[in-house]
């Protein structure tokens, strides 16, 4: 691996069942659930593009074909609305499709997030890459997304990085939790990392959210990582090994994150983006000269 090579690839583990959203997710991938009009995974892809990435590697599973169709042209639909007032609805997704390429592989068995990431190895190769868990939906100030912030940090340290945020202590059981030394404001050198600890044994309340930058040696480490919490191969455990062998950073990002894997988080995200869009529309309307339509 050339540690100076820019991060161009982003991996999306997207094989999970989304049981918390049944029956909606019975025949629709959870990554395709929309916040306003945009599916969760498209927010993630746009965040990756904004961070300079152009290759999206998606680890899918059975029943997930809608994701592939979404990131493709629909000739019939395009033809139908071409030249009509509805054409603009496709502007954003068209831009995404032209800016990057998509490749897919399937995770045949659900053996955990570490295993899902390992399934993406053939799509990634020997280069540093990002990972986005699409159900963690992030929004950041000044259009500098969480991944863009992490890429900047990678350029300085050239090691794996996890994004973290403080959570209430009684919620540590939902997350990977880190312990570390703060080497710069908001940047921790990881000493310990535990997957979903009970509050009494959690090393801190600094929880990992679904944004990672990983160096490719992680693949060999995952291959040797034994199943952990829940009998699954955990990326948290692999990252702890990597931290002990070398260095892993945890980064308190700027911005907001919504847990769209839960109904509460999903509703909060919807309200947040609705308010944001409404504000934008109002500002746009206020700027138009009077009399203009
Ligand atoms: C996964 C990771 C966990 C991390 C979380 C962030 O868990 O295993 O370490 O904190 O994503 O969303 P999951 O939510 O997939 O169970």
């Amino acid at each position: 691996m050339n540690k100076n090579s820019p991060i161009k690839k982003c991996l999306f583990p997207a094989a999970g069942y989304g049981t918390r959203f049944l029956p909606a997710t019975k025949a629709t991938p959870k990554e395709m659930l929309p916040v306003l009009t945009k599916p969760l995974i498209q927010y993630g892809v746009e965040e990756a593009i904004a961070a300079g990435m152009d290759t999206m590697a998606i680890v899918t599973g059975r029943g997930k074909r809608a994701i592939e169709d979404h990131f493709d042209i629909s000739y019939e639909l395009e033809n139908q609305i071409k030249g009509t007032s509805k054409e603009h609805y496709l502007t954003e997704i068209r831009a995404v499709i032209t800016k990057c390429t998509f490749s897919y592989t399937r995770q045949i068995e659900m053996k955990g997030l570490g295993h899902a990431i390992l399934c993406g190895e053939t799509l990634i190769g020997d280069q540093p890459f990002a990972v986005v868990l699409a159900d963690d939906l992030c929004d950041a100030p000044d259009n500098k997304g969480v991944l863009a912030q992490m890429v900047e940090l990678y350029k300085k340290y050239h090691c794996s990085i996890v994004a973290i945020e403080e959570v209430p202590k009684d919620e540590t059981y939902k997350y990977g939790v880190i312990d570390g030394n703060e080497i710069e404001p908001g940047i921790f050198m990881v000493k310990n990392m535990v997957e979903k600890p009970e509050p009494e044994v959690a090393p801190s309340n600094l929880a990992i959210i679904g944004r990672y930058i990983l160096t490719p040696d992680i693949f060999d480490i995952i291959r040797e990582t034994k199943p952990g919490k829940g009998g699954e191969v955990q990326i948290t455990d692999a990252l702890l090994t990597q931290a002990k062998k070398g260095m892993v950073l945890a980064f308190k990002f700027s911005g907001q994150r919504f847990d769209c894997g839960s109904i509460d988080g999903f509703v909060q995200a919807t309200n947040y983006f609705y308010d944001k869009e409404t504000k934008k529309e109002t500002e746009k309307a206020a700027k138009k000269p009077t009399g203009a339509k």
Side-chain angles (χ1 to χ4, degrees):
M1 169 192 100
N2 176 357
K3 67 185 174 107
N4 290 316
S5 56
I7 298 178
K8 297 306 254 180
K9 294 191 178 182
C10 186
L11 186 72
F12 293 79
Y17 297 123
T19 39
R20 275 187 281 178
F21 280 88
L22 282 169
T25 46
K26 185 161 177 261
T28 304
K30 66 171 175 166
E31 296 76 14
M32 289 299 295
L33 295 178
V35 166
L36 305 188
T37 55
K38 210 190 291 184
L40 285 173
I41 193 161
Q42 189 180 332
Y43 285 92
V45 168
E46 288 176 358
E47 188 183 321
I49 294 173
M53 296 164 211
D54 60 12
T55 306
M56 307 298 145
I58 305 186
V59 179
T60 67
R62 286 176 288 280
K64 299 275 186 163
R65 284 198 200 143
I67 298 177
E68 291 173 52
D69 290 338
H70 183 70
F71 294 114
D72 195 354
I73 284 178
S74 164
Y75 281 108
E76 211 177 309
L77 178 67
E78 299 261 343
N79 198 37
Q80 196 76 34
I81 68 170
K82 199 171 182 182
T84 74
S85 59
K86 293 180 181 155
E87 205 176 350
H88 69 98
Y89 291 126
L90 289 178
T91 316
E92 276 187 347
I93 183 66
R94 273 193 199 141
V96 165
I97 295 167
T98 46
K99 279 182 197 148
C100 57
T101 57
F102 293 85
S103 54
Y104 300 87
T105 189
R106 279 195 181 194
Q107 185 183 10
I108 310 287
E109 288 174 283
M110 299 301 123
K111 293 190 197 165
L113 181 56
H115 175 254
I117 292 173
L118 186 56
C119 289
E121 184 180 14
T122 46
L123 305 178
I124 298 293
D126 188 28
Q127 54 181 289
F129 61 103
V131 175
V132 167
L133 306 184
D135 50 16
D136 273 339
L137 180 51
C138 295
D139 193 42
D142 309 324
N143 288 331
K144 188 155 188 209
V146 178
L147 280 185
Q149 297 169 33
M150 294 172 80
V151 165
E152 202 168 273
L153 192 62
Y154 177 82
K155 284 182 189 155
K156 184 166 174 196
Y157 289 98
H158 301 109
C159 67
S160 290
I161 305 168
V162 296
I164 50 166
E165 71 176 2
E166 284 185 39
V167 296
K169 192 87 200 227
D170 61 353
E171 287 185 16
T172 54
Y173 70 94
K174 295 182 188 168
Y175 302 94
V177 176
I178 71 113
D179 188 14
N181 299 326
E182 197 164 11
I183 55 169
E184 280 185 53
I187 300 168
F188 297 79
M189 194 180 294
V190 171
K191 277 196 309 209
N192 194 10
M193 238 177 188
V194 189
E195 179 66 5
K196 306 204 170 97
E198 292 303 323
E200 310 79 66
V201 292
S204 75
N205 68 335
L206 296 172
I208 301 169
I209 67 131
R211 298 291 182 277
Y212 305 77
I213 300 260
L214 301 175
T215 52
D217 52 313
I218 198 73
F219 293 125
D220 280 340
I221 299 176
I222 299 173
R223 254 187 287 279
E224 284 174 9
T225 302
K226 302 253 167 352
K229 191 89 185 180
E232 296 186 331
V233 178
Q234 300 295 350
I235 188 64
T236 306
D237 296 341
L239 279 164
L240 178 59
T241 307
Q242 201 182 33
K244 285 182 177 161
K245 282 186 177 172
M247 179 161 103
V248 170
L249 294 179
F251 167 61
K252 254 190 190 173
F253 64 96
S254 313
Q256 298 226 42
R257 165 251 176 198
F258 299 94
D259 172 15
C260 289
S262 78
I263 295 179
D264 281 354
F266 201 95
V267 172
Q268 280 161 17
T270 304
N271 289 332
Y272 171 90
F273 282 96
Y274 181 75
D275 288 346
K276 195 175 163 180
E277 284 304 310
T278 314
K279 206 170 144 217
K280 251 199 251 165
E281 290 302 317
T282 319
E283 280 168 9
K284 234 201 280 174
K287 274 193 196 140
K288 269 191 189 165
T290 33
K293 282 197 179 166

